[in-house]
Amino acid sequence: MDSAGCYETRHGGGNALDTHRHTRPYAALVVDGSHVEASIDGPILCEPGTLLLHPAFHAHGNTFGRQGARVLNLPLEADLKLHRAVACTVPSLSEAQQVLRMAGPRAVRALFEASEPLQPAASDWQAAFLSALRDSDESCGAIAARLGVSAAHASRAFRRSHGMGPRALRLELRWRRALGLLGGAASLADVAALAGFADQSHFNRVVRGCSGLTPARLRAQIKCVQDASGSRMAQSA
């Protein structure tokens, strides 16, 4: 591990990582090889020079190319306001490696903002499908029929591109909404309702499954990070 907390991972050709989560936000810079990252934010082709920023508890899977991949990873500050995975192509791979290895988390945001954004490759019908999953309780079959695709095709296509079928994607969207609401003042019951969960027990199970914590403990953790961030801002003012 380097002085900034950066560490390197190596992956064999044709290998895959099943969908998984990291409890902290982190950056990943592809140094050699390639892989495709599949998540609710869409499929991203990651080649040398691709920098990805992941929010905390972001679910994603990886499929590696024939040459495998070498990736630098750096945990980021917990109060970094990331609501989705974002990717870019850095101007200089060698300089980007130095930022991750030596400069640390605070320099990563500046590096990202100086880089060329990458957009996930998703079809129009998939974007519309995800919007319907996020904004309505319409059944997956009804959404598929309205968009002119079969439910079976939608399931296969989303598993290939996003690493999850439509039902799992809907659950992930609700979890993401709940995670954002837990930093606010709404009661836990209201968070569950506003995020679209059928009842409190379902909400509790999903939060435990995604974070390993109860909603109350996760809220306390989020508040602690918010308080620490506010304190640092006050000290720097």
Side-chain angles (χ1 to χ4, degrees):
M1 184 176 290
D2 294 290
S3 59
C6 179
Y7 61 96
E8 181 179 297
T9 53
R10 294 175 182 260
H11 308 273
N15 287 356
L17 290 176
D18 292 336
T19 300
H20 59 284
R21 301 178 194 273
H22 298 258
T23 58
R24 286 187 61 180
Y26 77 102
L29 175 69
V30 181
V31 178
D32 291 314
S34 66
H35 71 272
V36 175
E37 177 165 301
S39 77
I40 197 170
D41 296 313
I44 302 174
L45 174 59
C46 304
E47 299 175 307
T50 300
L51 175 67
L52 295 101
L53 305 186
H54 301 84
F57 306 114
H58 180 259
H60 59 279
N62 309 87
T63 302
F64 298 93
R66 288 187 297 177
Q67 303 302 315
R70 184 161 63 95
V71 183
L72 291 182
N73 304 276
L74 178 68
L76 300 174
E77 294 176 348
D79 59 351
L80 182 66
K81 290 180 171 55
L82 282 174
H83 304 292
R84 62 189 303 273
V86 291
C88 67
T89 301
V90 298
S92 167
L93 179 54
S94 60
E95 291 179 7
Q97 290 182 70
Q98 288 300 311
V99 169
L100 265 70
R101 289 189 183 280
M102 304 304 298
R106 293 194 176 188
V108 170
R109 173 62 77 175
L111 173 63
F112 186 89
E113 291 174 349
S115 303
E116 184 70 24
L118 283 175
Q119 296 299 325
S123 65
D124 290 341
W125 74 261
Q126 285 182 315
F129 204 115
L130 285 170
S131 293
L133 288 175
R134 182 185 62 242
D135 299 330
S136 76
D137 291 323
E138 190 177 9
S139 72
C140 296
I143 296 170
R146 178 165 54 79
L147 295 174
V149 298
S150 70
H153 173 71
S155 180
R156 288 193 299 270
F158 274 117
R159 288 183 186 278
R160 285 195 303 269
S161 61
H162 291 66
M164 292 173 267
R167 290 182 181 177
L169 285 168
R170 170 169 272 162
L171 200 60
E172 192 69 18
L173 286 163
R174 290 177 176 173
W175 153 245
R176 176 173 288 185
R177 182 177 293 170
L179 191 57
L181 290 167
L182 283 170
S187 69
L188 293 178
D190 286 343
V191 169
L194 290 168
F197 290 95
D199 52 53
Q200 190 75 36
S201 62
H202 186 210
F203 170 62
N204 292 346
R205 289 196 302 274
V206 170
V207 173
R208 276 184 175 275
C210 292
S211 69
L213 301 171
T214 65
R217 288 181 64 86
L218 180 57
R219 163 165 274 178
Q221 184 181 96
I222 292 170
K223 294 290 189 182
C224 183
V225 170
Q226 290 175 338
D227 291 344
S229 176
S231 176
R232 285 197 297 271
M233 290 178 65
Q235 290 172 5
S236 64

